[in-house]
Each structure stands twice: as C-alpha cells, then as structure tokens.
C-alpha cells in the first residue's frame, strides 16, 4: 500500500501544488490530519484482497469487512473501487450499519473528484423579509385603526 500513501494528497500539502507556502488557508490547516485520496487511487483497490469504496465522499477500506457483511461479500465486491453511495443508501442501511462505517474510514475523496451536488438554494432571511412578525402585525393594526375611525365617523354622522 506504499504507493497510494505516496501519491495521496495530504490536506496541508499545499506546496506540492506550487504554492509558496505562505498561502495555506485556515480551512485546510484545520483538518491537516485528514488524508485525501483521488478517485483514481480508490479505483485501484477493487479486488477482494484490497477493497476500498467511497460513501458520501469518504473513503473506506472494507477489506476485512467483506466476510462479515450481512448483505454478503458479492455486493461489496461489485462496488469495490467505486462510489457506492447510491447502492448503500438504496438498501436503507440501519444506524448500526452507518456507525460501523467509522471503523473502516481511511480518508476523504479529493475535492476535485467529488460529484458536483445540485446547487442547494439558500435563502437568507433578513429582518426586513417575510418571516418577521411585523409583516402581518402592521397591516393588522392599520386595518383596526381604519375600522375604529370608520365607526366613529358613522356614529358622528348619525348623531348630527
Ligand atoms: C462499509 C459499508 C457497509 C457497511 C458497514 C454495511 C453494513 C451492513 C449491515 C450492518 C447490514 C445489516 C442490515 C442493517 O443493519 O442495515 C447490511 C445489510 C445489507 N447491505 Fe450493507 N453495508 C455496507 C455496504 C453495502 C453496500 C455498498 C451495499 C450495496 C451494494 C450493501 C448492501 C447490503 C444488502 C443488500 C444488505 C442486506 C439487506 C437485507 O437483507 O435486508 N451494503 N449492511
């Protein structure tokens, strides 16, 4: 496994990318212990003696788990070296199964190889916008004032 260790990109190894070392971003420094693997590297581990797969952009070495998998070794080998997120989710694995994943975690899929998720629409609500209670309270108070004035006006007219 020496080869992939050498090729794998360490999160804080920015100098490799031609950086001058002065521009190491804080976000990258935070998880400097995390190991990043390219899709190509993961794909190389596609056999029963050496089985990696990707689930939700995390890389797992499940070689020792193959025989233990309640769903059988076959299904895992079919996914070996690939992104198995969809198949994993399709089965509807239990919370226990999800917790088991941690034991086999070896790193993260490199950012460049991550599937671009459909852009999530993010709505930022400011105090001027609709969620504020003032949006309905002000018209309600205005309507009540107009109603009261109208009643007074009618009473006034009747009495004169
Ligand atoms: C390391 C990753 C995986 C772990 C830790 C894992 C774990 C488990 C566990 C604990 C179960 C028993 C049922 C449950 O608790 O949900 C199970 C069942 C199963 N798994 Fe996985 N699994 C993994 C990956 C996969 C993948 C990638 C596939 C699909 C290709 C798969 C297919 C199945 C199937 C078909 C069953 C049997 C479901 C049934 O009989 O109802 N698993 N798995």
């Amino acid at each position: 496994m020496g080869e992939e260790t050498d090729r794998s990109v360490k999160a804080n190894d920015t100098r490799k990318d031609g950086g001058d070392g002065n521009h190491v971003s804080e976000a990258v420094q935070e998880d400097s212990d995390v190991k990043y693997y390219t899709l190509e590297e993961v794909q190389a581990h596609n056999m029963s003696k050496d089985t990696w797969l990707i689930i939700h952009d995390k890389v797992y070495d499940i070689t020792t788990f193959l025989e233990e998998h309640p769903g059988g070794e076959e299904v895992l080998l079919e996914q070996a070296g690939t992104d198995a997120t969809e198949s994993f989710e399709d089965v509807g694995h239990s919370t226990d199964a999800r917790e088991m994943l941690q034991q086999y975690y070896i790193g993260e899929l490199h950012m460049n190889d991550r599937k671009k998720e459909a852009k999530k629409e993010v709505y930022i609500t400011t105090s001027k916008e609709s969620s504020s209670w003032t949006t309905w309270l002000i018209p309600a108070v205005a309507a009540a004032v107009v109603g009261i004035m109208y009643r007074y006006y009618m009473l006034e007219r009747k009495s004169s």
Side-chain angles (χ1 to χ4, degrees):
M1 281 209 210
E3 202 191 343
E4 67 269 1
T5 317
D6 295 341
R7 279 191 295 146
S8 57
V9 185
K10 269 235 162 191
N12 61 349
D13 206 357
T14 51
R15 271 167 240 210
K16 250 187 189 170
D17 302 325
D20 58 12
N22 296 325
H23 295 95
V24 182
S25 80
E26 276 174 39
V28 170
Q29 272 183 330
E30 263 172 32
D31 34 31
S32 56
D33 289 340
V34 175
K35 209 160 190 178
Y36 285 80
Y37 297 98
T38 63
L39 190 58
E40 206 187 332
E41 281 177 82
V42 177
Q43 280 165 349
H45 302 265
N46 61 1
M47 56 210 87
S48 60
K49 279 183 186 162
D50 180 17
T51 319
W52 291 12
L53 48 76
I54 301 159
I55 297 172
H56 293 299
D57 295 331
K58 298 192 186 308
V59 182
Y60 301 95
D61 179 348
I62 55 158
T63 316
T64 58
F65 177 65
L66 290 177
E67 285 178 17
E68 292 171 33
H69 184 223
E73 191 172 352
E74 250 339 276
V75 284
L76 293 184
L77 284 171
E78 273 168 28
Q79 301 294 320
T82 70
D83 187 334
T85 308
E86 216 176 308
S87 350
F88 182 83
E89 291 302 345
D90 282 352
V91 174
H93 281 94
S94 63
T95 316
D96 279 355
R98 285 163 202 281
E99 281 169 5
M100 284 170 80
L101 278 176
Q102 294 169 24
Q103 298 171 43
Y104 307 101
Y105 173 83
I106 54 169
E108 302 284 325
L109 181 62
H110 196 278
M111 297 296 173
N112 297 346
D113 289 334
R114 294 188 180 194
K115 284 182 189 147
K116 306 273 176 289
E117 272 182 53
K119 266 192 185 172
K120 286 176 195 150
E121 298 289 336
V122 179
Y123 294 104
I124 299 164
T125 314
T126 68
S127 57
K128 282 181 188 166
E129 281 173 12
S130 57
S131 72
S132 168
W133 54 270
T134 52
T135 46
W136 60 264
L137 188 64
I138 291 169
V141 170
V145 169
V146 169
I148 291 164
M149 284 170 71
Y150 183 70
R151 281 192 73 174
Y152 272 110
Y153 172 71
M154 293 304 275
L155 284 173
E156 230 20 61
R157 267 183 65 165
K158 267 187 194 166
S159 61
S160 59

